[in-house]
Amino acid sequence: MEQSASFFSFLLDNLTQFLSFTGFSNFTVGHGIMIVVGLIFIYLAIAKEFEPMLLVPIGFGIIVGNIPFTPGYQIGVYESGSVLNYLYFGVLKGIYPPLIFLGIGAMTDFSALISNPKLMLIGAAAQFGIFGAYMLALLLGFSPQEAGAIGIIGGADGPTAIFLSSKLAPELMGAIAISAYSYMALVPVIQPPVMKLLTTQKERLIRMKPPRQVSKLEKIMFPIIGMLLTTFIVPSGLPLLGMLFFGNLLKESTVTKRLADTAKGPMIDIVTILIGLTVGASTQATTFLTPKSVGIFALGAASFVVATFTGVMFVKFLNLFLKEGNKINPLIGNAGVSAVPDSARVSQVVGLEYDKTNHLLMHAMGPNVAGVIGSAVAAGILLSFLA
């Protein structure tokens, strides 16, 4: 009888201990909120096709990161020795973003920019969104390092946002990365109202000259000269800019096709999976659901609006100095942010609403790829005086 009582007591203790380890026992409202956020990301990616390559890994990562567990068993992304922690190392140390830039370089055609170099100015103008958000964040009480990391959301470049926040404000990286990728997915929603508000019917109908044919020599020289120029001016941007132009040289040289194919294919896919999953997993409710995260989301939206505003307004300003026939359609000003090619597609879609035969996509790709360079340069500038 005594042995039976002892046995049942043993079972009860173990059952109680097992239940204390389950996710149900450790569940909080915060975990529930974040799991719903992850499900929304997955829904937007699959049902609405908003950036599915990014939002599916991030959304699933958010769910993974918010499965409640008892600390101390090397499970979570922040626990030293866990598998997720090892994978997160590439985010934490800024390793994954340059590898993604290598792939972006290998898949980007800079022809539109080379044929019309003044489009580079539009890409530069749109980066005011970064510095506008930076100043707003300072006014709201964020430290200069945190403000710099938040401001880069306005560059519409997830890898750059992760790279800079890993250097300046690692504790905010999850919120910054989620905010950057969320707003990148919402480019088709955020930008059109601003573009329409700032342009007249006559401006929306401007037809631009077809881009000139760019020679192979120009395409090969561009990444070499571009790398030298940008990194001599902003050496701190070397990890991003060096890899971007290296990837582009692999593509344009045409003698390293296999390397270029790997960079823009399997390699960027693997890194995108790892970065998406681990950034998502880093949004554990206990560290993510804070007033600062809410502020970051608000500033992220503001930075996108400012970037679109400055891009469009800069084209209108530039047109004051251009002769009739050489004017630029201001609807491509939004493409100065580096959400490639989504913001360029927005230029095309909005332009077609007013003239079904006026195709702006090729023209918009110029400032769009310039925005990739511009956001990396802006990150280098912020890093040089805030790190």
Side-chain angles (χ1 to χ4, degrees):
M1 185 68 182
E2 189 176 333
Q3 282 185 335
S4 297
S6 175
F7 176 72
F8 283 115
S9 174
F10 171 79
L11 280 181
L12 187 62
D13 288 345
N14 279 274
L15 183 61
T16 305
Q17 188 177 6
F18 169 75
L19 289 174
S20 72
F21 285 140
T22 64
F24 298 106
S25 175
N26 294 288
F27 183 80
T28 66
V29 175
H31 289 119
I33 292 172
M34 291 309 299
I35 288 173
V36 170
V37 170
L39 291 172
I40 291 172
F41 272 44
I42 293 173
Y43 168 77
L44 290 174
I46 296 174
K48 302 294 181 183
E49 297 190 12
F50 287 171
E51 296 282 355
M53 303 282 277
L54 296 171
L55 293 193
V56 168
I58 291 176
F60 199 81
I62 292 174
I63 296 173
V64 168
N66 284 281
I67 300 299
F69 62 86
T70 303
Y73 289 87
Q74 297 184 339
I75 298 171
V77 72
Y78 295 117
E79 290 195 307
S80 179
S82 74
V83 174
L84 283 174
N85 184 258
Y86 280 117
L87 297 178
Y88 190 55
F89 183 82
V91 174
L92 203 57
K93 298 299 178 185
I95 297 170
Y96 296 149
L99 293 177
I100 287 187
F101 262 63
L102 177 67
I104 292 173
M107 65 175 68
T108 301
D109 184 353
F110 286 102
S111 298
L113 186 62
I114 299 170
S115 70
N116 192 357
K118 61 177 173 290
L119 297 179
M120 173 68 86
L121 298 173
I122 304 172
Q127 306 311 316
F128 276 101
I130 293 174
F131 296 99
Y134 169 66
M135 288 185 280
L136 278 174
L138 283 178
L139 288 173
L140 289 176
F142 287 93
S143 71
Q145 287 75 20
E146 291 174 339
I150 293 168
I152 202 68
I153 297 172
D157 196 321
T160 305
I162 290 170
F163 178 78
L164 193 64
S165 56
S166 72
K167 305 294 181 189
L168 297 180
E171 71 282 2
L172 300 181
M173 189 192 302
I176 290 170
I178 296 296
S179 179
Y181 281 119
S182 301
Y183 290 124
M184 283 168 64
L186 291 174
V187 157
V189 178
I190 296 173
Q191 291 197 319
V194 181
M195 295 159 65
K196 292 175 183 177
L197 183 68
L198 297 176
T199 53
T200 64
Q201 178 77 7
K202 184 181 176 185
E203 287 172 328
R204 295 173 202 141
L205 297 176
I206 291 176
R207 282 181 177 269
M208 297 174 65
K209 289 181 178 175
R212 71 172 175 82
Q213 195 70 29
V214 176
S215 70
K216 182 181 176 182
L217 179 62
E218 287 177 290
K219 289 183 178 182
I220 292 174
M221 293 303 294
F222 180 79
I224 297 171
I225 295 172
M227 198 277 283
L228 288 171
L229 277 178
T230 54
T231 55
F232 264 77
I233 295 170
V234 191
S236 46
L238 184 59
L240 297 177
L241 292 163
M243 295 298 262
L244 175 74
F245 288 121
F246 174 49
N248 191 244
L249 182 61
L250 291 179
K251 171 181 180 288
E252 300 299 353
S253 68
T254 66
V255 294
T256 52
K257 185 175 182 303
R258 212 173 72 204
L259 300 183
D261 288 344
T262 301
K264 71 181 180 184
M267 194 202 72
I268 198 170
D269 287 346
I270 291 169
V271 179
T272 299
I273 290 170
L274 293 177
I275 204 170
L277 186 69
T278 52
V279 163
S282 71
T283 62
Q284 289 179 0
T286 48
T287 58
F288 187 79
L289 286 179
T290 64
K292 277 191 173 181
S293 298
V294 177
I296 289 168
F297 270 89
L299 287 167
S303 66
F304 262 66
V305 173
V306 172
T308 307
F309 176 89
T310 52
V312 174
M313 291 305 292
F314 181 78
V315 175
K316 289 164 70 86
F317 173 74
L318 202 58
N319 278 342
L320 296 175
F321 306 96
L322 297 176
K323 294 177 181 175
E324 204 62 44
N326 289 327
K327 291 189 183 296
I328 301 171
N329 191 314
L331 289 179
I332 71 168
N334 73 300
V337 301
S338 62
V340 180
D342 291 346
S343 53
R345 281 189 194 139
V346 170
S347 305
Q348 167 83 352
V349 169
V350 176
L352 289 178
E353 285 181 22
Y354 299 94
D355 183 348
K356 297 291 182 194
T357 62
N358 192 9
H359 296 278
L360 297 173
L361 185 61
M362 276 308 296
H363 302 292
M365 284 305 295
N368 208 183
V369 295
V372 178
I373 300 171
S375 63
V377 169
I381 292 171
L382 289 169
L383 200 56
S384 64
F385 71 87
L386 291 176

